Amino acid sequence: MKNTFYQYYIKWLRDFFYIGQSEIADALYMSVSAYSKMEQGKKTIRNEDFEAVIHFYEGRKESYSFCFDEQKKEKANTLIRQCIVSFVYRSQKEMLPELENYLSDSANLHSFAFFETKLLEMIYEYFADLPFQERLPFLFEHLDLFDPTAQSMIYDLYGLSKLRNHDNKAIELFQIAKSLSILIHIPGWIDLIDHHLILAYLQAMKPEKAFLLFEECGHEFQIAGAHHRLLNLKFNQAHCYTKLGLFEESNACYENMIQTYNQVADAQFLGMVYGNYAWNKLLQKEYRKAVDLTQKAIQLQYAFADLYITLAYSNYQLGQPEDALDAIAAFRRQNRKDSRSKMVLKFLEVLENFLLGRKKTFERLASPLLLQLEKWRDLEVDLFVYQMLIDHYTGMEDEHSLCAVQAKLIDFLMH
């Protein structure tokens, strides 16, 4: 393992300082070929060879120094485990000062804990809600240097990055993270990965697979005392019931969460509950209730883009086109740039043109949207678009186009 560390680290050093192999080889009194084999892992790197490389850089770069304290690696792995525990208990924000202090010490980076420190840099970025995905290729390039605990964290964060990008590869990545975590004795960690897997299944419109994970996941969170995670799990269970069409069960879950809100003291969570409950009511065609719940979610400053689908489409179904158009205009004014909001706006523009009777523009936008929604199945607006198309062609008495849309709808429902 140490030889592998030497190999990867001296290669990183040379790339970082823009030094040619020939210059280092000359300083070490060896051939370029011999030095190149060390970087490629084809030649064993002796301790004295590694120390000579370090002394070369320390002599060339005044700001550079390597810490040979072998306990650094153990301390870094302990901190990684602490991060995982804080992740399980949703107390990761409390870890930020400790991570900042650790990362500010260059002796931690340039040591035998170099690669673990690189992982801790990414964990810090994730915990601080900063972009973290850029570090993933580097960590995977050196994955064999990490122990299973660190590897499971890397795969879990990689899965979360894919989940954000609506990429179903997240499922495979969470499954790998879970397999690596089976022998890791951190209470609640494997269950948090299962929770992430639930989210991936729900996003991929596979609620039947998510459903199988809830009972054990909830039981283990209960044992671990991860009460915040339990609440999130219950929320996603209600969402799963909705996707399975079990509306009585989902209604009961949402009502229970609203009634016990005072135990949570989190307005953002309550807004999320109201928002998803509103969608649940929209699917049950309880449009007035859907509007009321959506407005409560917005008042609590819950900013999920899908709220405006619920608000606009429910008002349309209530025969209140002006209110629907107002909701669309309010969303457009927010000028959101994330990919989900862009898809929401595309749907709202289709609805807007339908409501305004702009027949040609509606047709031009509606059919392409159905193709784009193949990647965004969890928006669950396909049926709304089909219904608008059916109403549109029925009103125009265009039987040919109507039959074509109905055939596509049947195919969609069958698959």
Side-chain angles (χ1 to χ4, degrees):
M1 178 68 78
K2 183 172 282 190
N3 189 75
T4 306
F5 170 83
Y6 288 162
Q7 169 201 341
Y8 286 146
Y9 184 70
I10 64 173
K11 173 65 167 63
W12 180 88
L13 272 180
R14 190 172 61 78
D15 290 343
F16 183 77
F17 288 115
Y18 299 102
I19 302 293
Q21 286 186 343
S22 59
E23 189 174 351
I24 303 177
D26 288 344
L28 300 181
Y29 303 103
M30 65 174 60
S31 67
V32 175
S33 175
Y35 180 81
S36 178
K37 287 179 180 177
M38 290 190 343
E39 283 193 2
Q40 296 172 36
K42 296 179 180 179
K43 174 180 169 61
T44 299
I45 304 174
R46 300 172 301 171
N47 291 341
E48 51 265 38
D49 293 330
F50 180 72
E51 290 173 7
V53 173
I54 295 302
H55 292 323
F56 168 81
Y57 284 104
E58 288 178 337
R60 294 289 298 272
K61 308 291 180 180
E62 291 184 7
S63 61
Y64 173 75
S65 179
F66 187 87
C67 178
F68 284 89
D69 181 359
E70 298 201 12
Q71 291 185 345
K72 288 286 187 183
K73 187 179 180 73
E74 182 180 345
K75 291 177 180 177
N77 279 320
T78 298
L79 187 53
I80 290 169
R81 290 181 69 89
Q82 290 174 0
C83 288
I84 289 175
V85 171
S86 72
F87 198 14
V88 170
Y89 290 93
R90 285 193 64 195
S91 59
Q92 56 264 41
K93 298 298 182 187
E94 298 172 15
M95 282 293 300
L96 292 177
E98 185 172 353
L99 285 170
E100 287 173 356
N101 183 59
Y102 175 89
L103 295 172
S104 67
D105 186 351
S106 61
N108 292 320
L109 177 64
H110 294 298
S111 71
F112 292 116
F114 174 82
F115 293 98
E116 288 77 12
T117 301
K118 285 293 183 183
L119 171 56
L120 285 165
E121 287 176 347
M122 186 175 74
I123 292 172
Y124 173 82
E125 290 170 347
Y126 179 76
F127 283 4
D129 299 320
L130 299 170
F132 68 95
Q133 296 90 330
E134 292 80 4
R135 296 187 185 275
L136 283 164
F138 178 84
L139 296 178
F140 272 96
E141 185 181 351
H142 306 98
L143 194 64
D144 51 340
L145 283 169
F146 295 98
D147 68 17
T149 302
Q151 288 178 0
S152 69
M153 185 64 162
I154 292 169
Y155 272 105
D156 187 64
L157 290 178
Y158 191 19
L160 289 170
S161 74
K162 291 296 183 183
L163 195 64
R164 289 182 177 184
N165 291 325
H166 243 266
D167 188 335
N168 287 343
K169 188 179 179 182
I171 293 172
E172 176 190 345
L173 295 169
F174 289 137
Q175 288 171 335
I176 295 171
K178 183 177 179 179
S179 67
L180 287 164
S181 302
I182 289 174
L183 299 178
I184 297 171
H185 302 297
I186 301 179
W189 175 225
I190 195 169
D191 309 291
L192 179 56
I193 296 171
D194 266 342
H195 193 186
H196 295 159
L197 194 53
I198 284 170
L199 296 176
Y201 281 136
L202 292 177
Q203 187 181 86
M205 296 301 289
K206 297 179 179 180
E208 69 285 352
K209 291 184 177 293
F211 182 79
L212 299 174
L213 298 173
F214 281 104
E215 184 175 355
E216 184 176 356
C217 191
H219 177 68
E220 295 302 321
F221 277 153
Q222 185 74 47
I223 292 174
H227 300 299
H228 282 289
R229 291 295 178 190
L230 269 171
L231 200 58
N232 282 109
L233 186 69
K234 187 171 184 179
F235 170 83
N236 286 304
Q237 187 170 24
H239 192 42
C240 183
Y241 283 142
T242 297
K243 287 183 180 292
L244 289 169
L246 302 173
F247 294 116
E248 185 175 338
E249 289 82 355
S250 61
N251 289 341
C253 281
Y254 286 125
E255 288 291 346
N256 179 260
M257 281 186 281
I258 290 170
Q259 291 168 8
T260 58
Y261 161 66
N262 59 351
Q263 300 175 15
V264 185
D266 187 340
Q268 180 69 12
F269 180 79
L270 183 59
M272 188 168 66
V273 172
Y274 278 132
N276 274 46
Y277 196 12
W279 180 261
N280 184 55
K281 289 299 183 181
L282 168 61
L283 295 181
Q284 295 178 72
K285 300 183 179 181
E286 296 182 32
Y287 302 117
R288 174 50 59 196
K289 183 69 172 176
V291 169
D292 292 342
L293 290 167
T294 303
Q295 289 173 338
K296 288 181 179 179
I298 293 173
Q299 288 169 4
L300 288 165
Q301 298 184 337
Y302 180 53
F304 194 43
D306 296 32
L307 288 174
Y308 290 86
I309 294 175
T310 307
L311 193 57
Y313 196 77
S314 294
N315 275 308
Y316 152 60
Q317 289 290 352
L318 287 168
Q320 299 169 172
E322 291 301 322
D323 289 338
L325 292 170
D326 286 345
I328 295 169
F331 185 75
R332 184 180 283 115
R333 285 194 298 271
Q334 295 173 20
N335 196 29
R336 302 192 190 191
K337 301 298 183 183
D338 63 283
S339 55
R340 189 178 189 91
S341 293
K342 289 178 181 178
M343 284 302 301
V344 168
L345 183 58
K346 288 182 179 181
F347 169 78
L348 293 176
E349 287 175 342
V350 167
L351 176 58
E352 180 181 51
N353 281 283
F354 178 75
L355 291 171
L356 293 173
R358 298 170 181 165
K359 297 180 179 180
K360 290 184 178 179
T361 306
F362 169 74
E363 288 184 19
R364 178 172 58 82
L365 296 177
S367 295
L369 177 60
L370 287 171
L371 295 175
Q372 295 173 57
L373 287 172
E374 291 177 4
K375 184 183 176 183
W376 292 87
R377 290 289 301 276
D378 74 314
L379 277 177
E380 299 182 81
V381 296
D382 308 67
L383 292 176
F384 301 160
V385 179
Y386 277 117
Q387 188 59 58
M388 282 187 279
L389 282 166
I390 288 171
D391 292 344
H392 170 72
Y393 289 123
T394 299
M396 292 179 63
E397 297 184 355
D398 184 345
E399 294 186 5
H400 176 75
S401 298
L402 177 61
C403 289
V405 170
Q406 289 173 330
K408 290 180 180 179
L409 173 58
I410 292 169
D411 184 66
F412 170 78
L413 292 172
M414 291 181 65
H415 294 89

